[in-house]
Amino acid sequence: MAVAASQGATRDRVGLGWRGELAAGIVSNLARIDVLEVIADDYYRASRTGIAALCSLARQVPVSLHGVGMGLASTIPADPRRLHAMARLMKEVQAESWSEHLSFVRAGGVEIGHLAAPPRTPRSVAGAIANIALATRIVGCAPLMENIATLLQPPASTLDEAEWVAQIIHGAQVPLLLDLHNLYANAVNAGESPQELLLRLPLDRVGAVHLSGGHWIDAPGGGQRLLDDHLHDVPPEVFALLTVLARQAPQPLTVIVERDGNYPSFEHVLGQLELARAALRAGRNT
């Protein structure tokens, strides 16, 4: 099975999610950014000028495309139009890899507008594997598949998160895009150990990592839950998980820092990338 992830990379890399608000800082600091991740859905219907700008960017720095709307972890077959759009974009941009989420985003013809966690069952495992196979055939290479954040354990689940993710990753034979803040939030919201959850995942299949931040919100009935919002700095606990991951996972890892709002100075953003590099080094050197 063709896998485009990390083509040509032989060392760990740290980069940033492309956002319009960060564009000026990114373009001025490409020497300090190893790789960029671009939201593919923003370019499916882009103008020729927009595609040309993205192609120009991809000639200057490795670019991966990140899908958010396919809903591949579903018992409903994925929409071929979105997969063909990704295939066209991959070809035009010559991106080095693409990725999607282990989520569903529509049901009964209704777009949810959110990455939703399906029940973790053998049926949803089979649906995800079938959709990933369809996506791989149409796009021409396999996606990295990302774990998502959930405030609650998906109802009607018969598998826990680590079992469910591992069965899909091994069954579909694809790399895991491991979002460490999603993992951290899910574990603390469920009253579990983030490190124990991390070590139960198929770490030998991790090809890329997402880092972000969140904030605590009041939960119905009392207590608090951690919301992954991409509006805050990566917390120290998540950098610590990256160090643990770097002790276990094979080289190379591609680490992407995500920021979707509440933007600090670009020097501060670059500081987050340096903290990620330090966490990686700490894990590789122990």
Side-chain angles (χ1 to χ4, degrees):
M1 178 179 295
V3 176
S6 300
Q7 281 184 344
T10 58
R11 61 177 178 84
D12 293 334
R13 303 178 300 176
V14 177
L16 187 60
W18 173 267
R19 303 292 185 270
E21 293 84 351
L22 299 174
I26 290 173
V27 172
S28 300
N29 291 277
L30 285 178
R32 300 171 66 182
I33 300 169
D34 300 327
V35 58
L36 289 173
E37 183 185 82
V38 176
I39 301 298
D41 302 55
D42 293 343
Y43 288 87
Y44 289 160
R45 297 180 179 178
S47 65
R48 286 185 174 275
T49 302
I51 294 294
L54 181 55
C55 291
S56 174
L57 185 67
R59 288 193 292 271
Q60 300 175 70
V61 62
V63 164
S64 61
L65 298 176
H66 189 49
V68 297
M70 291 180 182
L72 297 183
S74 174
T75 56
I76 301 171
D79 181 355
R81 292 173 299 180
R82 293 173 186 266
L83 298 174
H84 283 292
M86 178 65 86
R88 287 193 298 272
L89 195 58
M90 283 286 290
K91 184 176 181 180
E92 288 177 319
V93 176
Q94 294 292 295
E96 66 168 24
S97 64
W98 71 285
S99 57
E100 249 293 351
H101 299 85
L102 289 169
S103 70
F104 73 98
V105 295
R106 66 189 60 84
V110 176
E111 294 286 335
I112 300 172
H114 185 72
L115 302 174
R120 296 172 182 143
T121 64
R123 187 169 178 230
S124 65
V125 168
I129 292 172
N131 274 326
I132 294 168
L134 174 64
T136 300
R137 286 197 299 273
I138 292 178
V139 178
C141 59
L144 293 97
M145 294 302 302
E146 179 181 359
N147 58 309
I148 69 166
T150 59
L151 289 171
L152 299 169
Q153 298 278 15
S157 294
T158 59
L159 302 169
D160 68 21
E161 181 174 8
E163 293 170 328
W164 187 75
V165 169
Q167 288 191 20
I168 294 172
I169 294 299
H170 287 305
Q173 300 181 52
V174 291
L176 174 61
L177 168 49
L178 180 55
D179 190 309
L180 284 176
H181 192 264
N182 289 351
L183 178 150
Y184 177 68
N186 291 356
V188 297
N189 287 338
E192 299 173 354
S193 162
Q195 183 166 323
E196 289 181 8
L197 176 56
L198 171 67
L199 295 176
R200 291 184 57 227
L201 291 172
L203 301 186
D204 60 324
R205 303 302 297 264
V206 177
V209 179
H210 276 176
L211 303 177
S212 62
H215 74 285
W216 293 92
I217 61 174
D218 293 334
Q224 289 195 312
R225 293 185 182 276
L226 182 57
L227 176 67
D228 175 73
D229 63 10
H230 297 193
L231 302 179
H232 297 80
D233 285 351
V234 180
E237 294 87 349
V238 171
F239 283 125
L241 289 174
L242 179 59
T243 295
V244 174
L245 173 64
R247 291 194 190 107
Q248 307 288 332
Q251 290 252 19
L253 289 175
T254 295
V255 178
I256 298 292
V257 175
E258 296 180 297
R259 189 86 181 203
D260 288 339
N262 190 26
Y263 294 105
S265 70
F266 201 75
E267 279 301 318
H268 187 88
V269 173
L270 290 173
Q272 293 277 286
L273 271 61
E274 291 307 316
L275 289 173
R277 290 188 173 97
L280 277 169
R281 285 196 300 272
R284 295 303 190 195
N285 293 331
T286 55

